[in-house]
Amino acid sequence: METYYVLFQWNFPIAMITRKAGAALAAGCTCVVKPAEDTPLTALAVAKLAEEAGIPEGVFNVVTSSRQNAAGVGKLLCQSPHVAGISFTGKPNKSDCLTRSKTVGWN
């Protein structure tokens, strides 16, 4: 089972989570969602819904952070040997670690 890291900007958070994490879960992968610092509650609400729907613990994961720690958390997830791929929505110049890491899906 592969793990995919999903990160995105603040706009349309529920649409981004369901579109990106849904595809990873449908493919049989686990997923780590890192929401924008401005919209963490949306991701946490989706995690609660996933739990209520019966998705096993550890399959859909959310990592939140403060604005001050966002770059460090993102870098850690980008460089993790446990992450097989990354799905990113936003400006590529905002996350230079993405260009030097795993397979990245830009949209």
Side-chain angles (χ1 to χ4, degrees), residues 49-57:
L49 290 172
E51 178 186 327
E52 290 175 3
I55 293 178
E57 186 177 323

Side-chain angles (χ1 to χ4, degrees), residues 5 7 70-72 74-79 86 88 90-102 104 106:
Y5 169 37
L7 67 157
K75 184 176 181 179
L76 179 71
L77 290 168
C78 284
Q79 295 175 347
I86 301 167
F88 175 74
K91 297 178 182 177
N93 63 340
K94 295 289 183 184
S95 296
D96 64 337
C97 80
L98 294 173
T99 60
R100 294 189 308 271
S101 62
K102 302 164 182 46
V104 178
W106 298 97

